[in-house]
Amino acid sequence: MRIQILHRWKRSGKFLVFQVILFFVLSNVLLDRFVIRIDISASSRLSFSEYTESVLRSINKPLVIDAYYSSDLPSEYQVRLDVIQEYLMELSKRNSSQIKLNFYDPDSSPEAKQKVKDSGLIPNEIRKAGVSSPLFYEAYMGIVIHYDGESEVVPDFFFVEEAESQFVRAIRRIEERKLGQRIAVIADPGCFYYPKPGEGSGKDTWGVFFHQALVKEYGYPKEISLNKQKIGDTIKLILVVGAPQWSIQGKRNLEEYLLRGGRAIFLLGSMEFRLNPVRGAKGLSFEKATPAIPNANNSFWTDILSHYGFQLETNLVLDFQHPVHLAEQKGGSLPGYYPFWQVITKHDGDIHLGNEISNLTDVLLVPWVSSFSMDISKQRTMKYETLLWSGEKISLVPNLVPVNGVNLASKGIPAKSRVPIAVLLEGRLNPFFKENLEKKKELTKIMLFSTPYFVSDILALPEFRIYLRDANVPFMLNAIDFFLEDRNHSSVRKQNLAVLPLRAFSIYERNLYSAFNTFFIPMALFLYALRRIKKRQSARE
């Protein structure tokens, strides 16, 4: 009797309705347990690189992220706030057993406000929209990472385009503190200084790169005067920017460091001059310029580098094919352009694509370049490799050079071929000092730029800032990683860091996507199952 009743119920429409409801509920419950994400954003801003995935998986100790985001933000910030919070949640899920994420709203209570102040996080100044007079208030938009007994503050963790790189750099700084600093900046007389960006910044400083890129990536490097001290064994890379006045002892300390396997990046200048950037109605121009003359410090370093196979000439390179656009220079030979600065590109063959330092680079801005020659006979155990070249149609202006661009066409000597701008050496050095000839020689690496202005603060001017941020800085950081043999970070750095606009979903779009997730997928699965059931029934009949 029960079997007959059950058979009748199955054949009725009620059983079909019951199946639909049951399948709908169960499919939503099951689908809720699976996360299906596809990043369709521009520049893949919401995706993690393979290296970041490996970093997250390798975390084997508790890591706590305290995220402080003020709730009292203007409406135009709300979309980004939602996205960055979702990004952090997704990041923590990559290793949920070790990564704990805490969200705090500093505006929720006086205790929460005090907690964020104690964390060391610095607030941002936010301007209220629609207010005629400037009105600013403080808002917190950052995180504090606690890991392996160390804490790292990331104050501006708000733009999702930069979030991955910021997180990886923070972990890296914690690890660098454990290892000890491996980078040193040479600070002998004649070397460019690196003040905090502001009034002290100029053509002959590199504080923007130092404070906003180098320190954020690797922590504060050591400062060393070769004239006064030797380089410690923990230092793996030195940066030399400018025209150093090295004594004999300073050069001995340099060579001793290189012979034991130390690495060096030189950004050297053989010419010196002064000028003032002036922004007028027609744009930026360089005024009150003194002629460029051979640097008085050349004799302090050219002898040892010449022995290493480099000869930096006392001239400046003019590129009339790819000059930088500026306002019309007074008396200039190319109105509206400045041929002392050149844009080199992968498309024109100016960038070596077979080397891992430069193979991710598309374009670079190179100011005030001097030519240099290489004599490989002086270092037969070293491999020379040119990474960057000038353009093909260039001229060389020797010795006394009017850097304001006056009558350059008549003064330049056409070059027979393009000249190298950056060269890499790898191998064992033939020593400059005779007492080092019998010493053991380890493998070393040296890179030489024929301009000290590759990361100069003058590139932070609004007209050139995009080149500094998106081209020259990543190139230098990739080079540093190469010298430290820590190359995985380039996969994070190569992503587009430009902050692109975000648009919030409209109410209609949200309802549409919600309906799709709630009804379409379960219904598609149900129809497929119903079709299978009907096939079975027809086969039995």
Side-chain angles (χ1 to χ4, degrees):
M1 184 68 178
R2 291 181 179 178
I3 296 176
Q4 290 181 347
I5 294 173
L6 183 61
H7 182 69
R8 290 177 185 173
W9 187 60
K10 284 182 178 180
R11 295 177 64 88
S12 67
K14 294 180 180 179
F15 181 64
L16 181 61
V17 173
F18 174 76
Q19 283 184 312
V20 171
I21 295 174
L22 181 63
F23 191 86
F24 176 78
V25 172
L26 291 177
S27 60
N28 271 283
V29 171
L30 289 173
L31 288 171
D32 186 58
R33 295 180 178 272
F34 295 95
V35 178
I36 302 173
R37 293 172 58 89
I38 299 175
D39 185 1
I40 59 173
S41 62
S43 76
S44 299
R45 68 182 83 174
L46 302 177
S47 298
F48 297 104
S49 68
E50 291 183 8
Y51 174 66
T52 301
E53 294 275 11
S54 68
V55 168
L56 294 171
R57 288 193 301 267
S58 67
I59 294 173
N60 55 11
K61 298 178 182 179
L63 184 148
V64 178
I65 303 174
D66 290 333
Y68 298 92
Y69 291 98
S70 298
S71 58
D72 187 18
L73 291 174
S75 57
E76 60 266 26
Y77 287 80
Q78 194 59 48
V79 177
R80 285 201 171 274
L81 178 60
D82 294 340
V83 172
I84 195 65
Q85 289 178 336
E86 181 182 349
Y87 186 89
L88 282 169
M89 288 187 287
E90 189 64 28
L91 185 147
S92 65
K93 290 177 183 177
R94 291 297 197 273
N95 190 348
S96 57
S97 62
Q98 297 292 349
I99 301 176
K100 181 182 179 183
L101 176 62
N102 302 315
F103 284 107
Y104 298 98
D105 177 10
D107 298 330
S108 61
S109 66
E111 292 78 13
K113 180 79 75 175
Q114 187 60 44
K115 182 177 178 63
V116 68
K117 288 181 179 179
D118 294 340
S119 72
L121 201 64
I122 301 173
N124 298 73
E125 284 192 343
I126 303 297
R127 179 175 180 176
K128 286 191 174 181
V131 179
S132 56
S133 60
L135 181 61
F136 296 89
Y137 63 95
E138 292 184 346
Y140 290 91
M141 298 182 291
I143 63 174
V144 181
I145 300 172
H146 307 280
Y147 180 58
D148 200 14
E150 299 278 346
S151 296
E152 186 66 31
V153 178
V154 187
D156 296 309
F157 200 88
F158 190 67
F159 295 103
V160 71
E161 293 88 348
E162 301 173 347
E164 180 179 8
S165 180
Q166 287 177 303
F167 178 80
V168 171
R169 289 202 304 260
I171 299 297
R172 185 184 206 176
R173 288 193 294 271
I174 291 175
E175 293 173 346
E176 288 285 343
R177 288 199 292 269
K178 294 288 185 181
L179 293 172
Q181 182 54 259
R182 297 178 291 167
I183 302 174
V185 173
I186 301 305
D188 289 299
C191 292
F192 285 4
Y193 186 51
Y194 36 88
K196 288 189 175 181
E199 293 184 359
S201 301
K203 173 179 68 69
D204 298 334
T205 61
W206 56 295
V208 172
F209 175 79
F210 182 91
H211 293 282
Q212 297 184 4
L214 187 66
V215 171
K216 286 187 176 182
E217 191 87 14
Y218 310 97
Y220 277 93
K222 291 185 179 294
E223 184 178 285
I224 293 177
S225 170
L226 287 175
N227 292 338
K228 298 178 181 179
Q229 64 189 110
K230 295 184 177 182
I231 302 175
D233 293 336
T234 59
I235 300 300
K236 305 302 179 185
L237 173 65
I238 61 170
L239 303 178
V240 184
V241 184
Q245 296 180 22
W246 280 330
S247 63
I248 296 296
Q249 186 58 48
K251 286 181 275 193
R252 279 198 171 95
N253 290 338
L254 171 66
E255 183 161 279
E256 179 186 297
Y257 164 76
L258 294 174
L259 289 177
R260 68 169 189 258
R263 288 86 186 273
I265 297 177
F266 296 95
L267 293 91
L268 299 176
S270 62
M271 305 291 282
E272 60 180 339
F273 54 93
R274 294 192 303 272
L275 51 74
N276 292 329
V278 176
R279 186 173 289 102
K282 295 183 179 180
L284 184 72
S285 61
F286 295 140
E287 299 183 3
K288 298 182 180 179
T290 63
I293 59 175
N295 197 303
N297 296 339
N298 289 348
S299 60
F300 292 99
W301 53 269
T302 53
D303 54 351
I304 189 169
L305 287 183
S306 176
H307 183 80
Y308 295 160
F310 297 119
Q311 184 63 49
L312 193 61
E313 306 296 340
T314 53
N315 60 24
L316 289 178
V317 176
L318 302 179
D319 186 343
F320 292 104
Q321 187 178 7
H322 302 111
V324 171
H325 178 73
L326 293 177
E328 182 175 348
Q329 309 296 302
K330 293 180 179 179
S333 54
L334 263 183
Y337 291 91
Y338 191 65
F340 284 115
W341 287 27
Q342 49 192 296
V343 177
I344 61 175
T345 66
K346 176 174 67 177
H347 178 267
D348 292 328
D350 306 329
I351 299 171
H352 181 28
L353 301 181
N355 187 280
E356 60 185 282
I357 295 177
S358 52
N359 62 3
L360 298 175
T361 304
D362 294 321
V363 62
L364 294 168
L365 176 59
V366 190
W368 295 304
V369 175
S370 297
S371 66
F372 71 84
S373 56
M374 294 178 290
D375 185 353
I376 60 176
S377 65
K378 294 185 177 181
Q379 297 290 334
R380 296 188 182 277
T381 58
M382 299 286 284
K383 174 188 173 184
Y384 291 74
E385 188 175 10
T386 302
L387 302 182
L388 306 175
W389 290 270
S390 69
E392 293 183 347
K393 297 180 180 180
I394 60 170
S395 296
L396 308 177
V397 186
N399 297 325
L400 190 64
V401 185
V403 292
N404 61 353
V406 177
N407 299 323
L408 290 176
S410 61
K411 293 180 178 292
I413 302 172
K416 295 179 180 180
S417 61
R418 62 174 70 205
V419 298
I421 295 175
V423 173
L424 175 68
L425 271 76
E426 297 183 81
R428 290 180 170 84
L429 275 177
N430 172 28
F432 175 70
F433 293 98
K434 293 182 179 179
E435 62 264 30
N436 292 329
L437 288 172
E438 301 303 321
K439 288 185 177 180
K440 184 180 179 181
K441 304 168 187 65
E442 301 291 344
L443 291 172
T444 185
K445 296 177 183 178
I446 299 172
M447 186 164 68
L448 174 70
F449 285 84
S450 61
T451 173
Y453 303 106
F454 188 75
V455 287
S456 166
D457 286 342
I458 200 168
L459 293 179
L461 291 170
E463 289 82 357
F464 317 117
R465 192 173 298 157
I466 189 170
Y467 285 103
L468 178 65
R469 184 193 65 193
D470 294 343
N472 291 25
V473 166
F475 182 91
M476 276 297 296
L477 295 179
N478 287 342
I480 292 172
D481 284 344
F482 173 82
F483 277 74
L484 294 177
E485 297 184 353
D486 189 4
R487 297 149 184 169
N488 291 317
H489 288 264
S490 60
S491 62
V492 179
R493 201 176 292 124
K494 72 180 179 181
Q495 295 194 39
N496 185 2
L497 295 183
V499 177
L500 303 173
L502 291 176
R503 180 181 65 85
F505 286 134
S506 66
I507 296 176
Y508 171 76
E509 288 171 325
R510 291 184 183 184
N511 292 337
L512 181 63
Y513 294 140
S514 296
F516 180 84
N517 291 327
T518 305
F519 296 106
F520 180 79
I521 296 177
M523 186 58 67
L525 291 173
F526 171 75
L527 292 174
Y528 174 76
L530 186 62
R531 184 168 175 269
R532 296 278 298 178
I533 292 171
K534 285 187 175 181
K535 277 188 176 183
R536 288 180 183 177
Q537 289 178 348
S538 61
R540 289 173 184 175
E541 294 175 357

